[in-house]
């Protein structure tokens, strides 16, 4: 009879441990799934945060890069100024030539209109 009781208690103990193991495995699986979904959400939030900070946070540009960029911009502006000055000189030359042509035209018109006049005779 002691053997029956011992066997029965051992059987009950094994059943209890088996149920407990099954429940723990089930809980472990559920928690693993919850952790996986939480990790996915965290990864998505971190990715969004990285994109957001890239867009919103001003990045310090090194002095050397700013200096090189400024030097390049100044060189371009000096080149443009040179082109404008050359164009201005050409425009001035063209304006002088046009002005000279107008003066010559007016002079010729005046000369031509005076050529048709009869000179006045002065009575002596």
């Amino acid at each position: 009879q002691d053997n029956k009781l011992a066997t029965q208690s051992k059987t009950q103990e094994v059943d209890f441990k088996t149920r407990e193991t099954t429940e723990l495995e089930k809980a472990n699986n559920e928690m693993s799934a919850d952790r996986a979904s939480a990790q996915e959400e965290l990864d998505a939030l971190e990715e969004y945060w990285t994109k957001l900070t890239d867009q919103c946070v001003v990045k310090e540009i090194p002095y050397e890069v700013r200096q090189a960029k400024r030097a390049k911009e100044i060189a371009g502006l000096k080149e443009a100024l040179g082109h404008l000055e050359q164009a201005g000189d050409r425009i001035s030359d063209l304006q002088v030539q046009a002005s000279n042509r107008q003066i010559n035209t007016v002079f010729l018109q005046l000369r031509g209109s005076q050529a048709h006049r009869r000179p006045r005779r002065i009575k002596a």
Side-chain angles (χ1 to χ4, degrees):
Q1 194 162 358
D2 286 336
N3 278 341
K4 282 184 175 182
L5 284 174
T7 306
Q8 190 178 12
S9 79
K10 296 282 182 190
T11 305
Q12 285 178 350
E13 196 175 313
V14 168
D15 286 343
F16 175 73
K17 296 281 183 182
T18 304
R19 272 189 253 133
E20 186 179 9
T21 303
T22 305
E23 289 174 7
L24 288 174
E25 285 176 353
K26 183 179 176 184
N28 186 31
N29 289 338
E30 288 175 2
M31 288 183 185
S32 293
D34 289 347
R35 184 185 183 283
S37 67
Q39 186 65 44
E40 285 178 20
E41 189 174 341
L42 178 63
D43 292 342
L45 286 172
E46 286 177 345
E47 182 180 345
Y48 177 72
W49 178 257
T50 303
K51 287 180 183 178
L52 194 61
T53 54
D54 287 345
Q55 293 173 359
C56 297
V57 174
V58 177
K59 295 176 186 166
E60 184 65 28
I61 299 172
Y63 174 76
E64 293 79 16
V65 173
R66 287 182 292 160
Q67 187 179 20
K69 193 175 183 180
R70 192 174 301 122
K72 186 177 178 182
E73 185 177 350
I74 289 171
L77 290 171
K78 285 181 179 178
E79 182 181 348
L81 180 62
H83 289 300
L84 290 172
E85 287 174 347
Q86 288 176 356
D89 291 343
R90 281 184 265 160
I91 289 172
S92 293
D93 291 343
L94 291 174
Q95 287 174 340
V96 168
Q97 290 173 1
S99 179
N100 286 342
R101 280 191 211 120
Q102 288 174 346
I103 291 170
N104 286 339
T105 304
V106 169
F107 177 74
L108 290 174
Q109 288 173 351
L110 288 174
R111 194 172 154 199
S113 66
Q114 289 176 358
H116 294 290
R117 289 187 183 174
R118 293 185 192 156
R120 289 187 179 176
R121 294 189 183 196
I122 301 176
K123 296 181 182 179

